[in-house]
Amino acid sequence: MIRISTIFIAICMVLVAASLGLVLHAVAGFSGTESAIVALTALTFLILYNAVSMRLRDRSDVGGQIADLSRGTADLARQVAEFGRRLAAVEGRVVSANSASSDRIQAVLGEINELGGLVKQLAISVASHEDLLASGAAAAPPAPSDRPHSEEQPAITPEQAPPTVRPAPVAAAKPAPSAVAAEAASPSRSQPQLLAAVKNAVEESRLDIYLQPMVTLPQRKVRFYEAVTRLRDDKDQILTADDFIATAEAGGLIGKIDHMVMLRCIQVLRRLMVRNKDVGVFCNVSAATLGNPANFAQCLDFLEANRALAPSFVLEFKQAAFRHLGPIEIENLAALSQRGYRFSIDHVTDLRIEPRDLADRGVRFIKVPAALLLDPKQSSTSDIHPSDLSDLLGRFGIDLIAEKIEGERAVVDLLDYDVRFGQGFLFAPPRPLRPEGASATGGATANKESGTPNGSSSTVPIAGPAAEPPMRATGNAALARRAAGPG
């Protein structure tokens, strides 16, 4: 249609120009050449006018099309933005649902493991009671032969009952706490016996978590808790970390212990964060776990499932172990750092510290004994004066924690060193959580025998100076009992 209209307009312009030339030749008396020139001039003007008018009309049409296209693009952008917002909301709900499902699965697995441990303890208790009953029956006097058949099994009176059947003397025979600690730390126990005791304690889940708070200075507000591990042997004797760590590493049990401790610490952290989102938990990890692919894979899967708690969950390593990490350990450490977990260095024996290297590996805390910081000899043996250490570490995002603080004088001196966090018996000693699912035959007695030095309650006061909520037990698989204050 456009081409036909253009041809028609061209024909009309030619006819108009020819008509004008004929009229001028016939009426005005112009010569043929002059009439032709005028006709060509008129045709040229008509062509120019038509071209300009068509160009203006096309420009108006193109401008309208561009405006329509702009409006359509703006509408499309709004729709894409709305779609992106809805997609982000759906993804958030899916991630939240997956995280909640993973948390519930981990909680159920923990409960199942604890129930299995309780069943084992119950079976052992029943077997011991059966042995007691059997020994009591063997010690009972035989019935007279002339007794009638209907009286062959008379009821046993309290005077005739064997004393070994009663469980009270068994509980009373347990040693005092000081004797327990002395015997547990006694070097008379051979290495195979200690390994067997540690193996049995791990298999029967006789692992206790002690919590010691770390406070801010000078406010003394609880900011973190350090989880300290203790094992109980078959006689409920307490084995400290120094007693069993080397044996567990030699016997290949440290990976399972670290995994159990991580599980307990994550559960404790979840309960602490119900009321206080700023609290954190330090969990000690052995370098042997980093170097064992199977053990580390198990721990990494668990930490991956609890990645949301990474900002509040700090993994702690010894200074000597951190300095001698191999390629595998460094790679595994980087995998944990990529998932948002932070690290701490403890058991510091000297102040030869490279903060840049530690920060690149994900270290955010360094725990130094107060005596080491305040030792005047350190200023000559280290590269930096101890009073400048906190400022140097802070430039690389590392916080200095002074540990083993036992006097107010040390606190005053540490404030001059600009130390932000402190830990030690001056603030609170490590106090045990009640073992998960502890029964009356074992767990309660163990906690009573591991009392604190100042005579306070054996259960840890989770609330602490920062008023965090006390922990409550949930059935036989609870992680901790409600905190009992001092006295």
Side-chain angles (χ1 to χ4, degrees), residues 164-409:
T164 56
V165 177
R166 302 190 181 191
V170 177
K174 292 184 178 179
S178 59
V180 171
E183 186 175 352
S186 175
S188 61
R189 184 179 300 194
S190 63
Q191 187 71 13
Q193 291 176 346
L194 182 58
L195 179 59
V198 173
K199 185 176 181 181
N200 292 335
V202 172
E203 291 178 352
E204 298 177 8
S205 298
R206 282 187 271 103
L207 182 147
D208 297 335
I209 297 296
Y210 287 57
L211 295 184
Q212 185 175 21
M214 304 177 198
V215 301
T216 59
L217 296 178
Q219 299 85 359
R220 302 193 181 188
K221 179 180 178 182
V222 174
R223 181 64 179 85
F224 302 100
Y225 286 98
E226 180 180 3
V228 183
T229 309
R230 299 286 187 267
L231 293 181
R232 287 177 289 111
D233 61 8
D234 298 337
K235 299 179 181 180
D236 274 348
Q237 295 176 353
I238 304 300
L239 300 177
T240 64
D242 293 336
D243 296 332
F244 68 82
I245 287 296
T247 303
E249 290 180 352
L253 301 173
I254 193 63
K256 189 172 183 180
I257 292 177
D258 284 345
H259 186 263
M260 294 172 64
V261 172
M262 286 182 187
L263 173 63
R264 302 273 179 95
C265 290
I266 287 292
Q267 292 171 338
V268 170
L269 179 60
R270 289 185 183 279
R271 294 179 183 273
L272 289 174
M273 294 183 68
V274 171
R275 297 287 182 85
N276 188 354
K277 298 295 184 182
D278 295 330
V279 73
V281 172
F282 281 57
C283 178
N284 289 275
V285 181
S286 172
T289 301
L290 287 179
N292 190 306
N295 294 336
F296 178 76
Q298 186 181 17
C299 294
L300 184 62
D301 292 341
F302 174 74
L303 294 175
E304 175 70 23
N306 294 274
R307 193 171 182 175
L309 299 176
S312 301
F313 192 68
V314 182
L315 302 175
E316 196 164 62
F317 302 91
K318 295 181 179 180
Q319 183 188 41
F322 207 84
R323 284 178 172 176
H324 299 89
L325 293 178
I328 297 178
E329 290 85 350
I330 294 176
E331 182 180 356
N332 293 338
L333 204 68
L336 293 174
S337 180
Q338 290 175 358
R339 287 160 176 78
Y341 287 93
R342 303 177 295 171
F343 311 124
S344 172
I345 302 297
D346 68 345
H347 288 76
V348 175
T349 57
D350 58 72
L351 299 182
R352 294 191 298 272
I353 298 172
E354 296 293 338
R356 184 185 300 277
D357 181 58
L358 296 179
D360 292 340
R361 292 189 181 183
V363 176
R364 294 297 177 265
F365 301 93
I366 294 182
K367 296 169 62 175
V368 181
L372 185 63
L373 283 173
L374 301 176
D375 187 3
K377 300 178 181 179
Q378 291 299 321
S379 59
S380 59
T381 59
S382 61
D383 299 333
I384 185 173
H385 194 275
S387 60
D388 299 327
L389 182 60
S390 178
D391 182 62
L392 175 64
L393 295 175
R395 298 174 191 172
F396 296 92
I398 301 176
D399 288 324
L400 176 62
I401 302 175
E403 62 175 350
K404 300 179 181 179
I405 301 176
E406 300 180 358
E408 293 290 346
R409 179 62 182 174

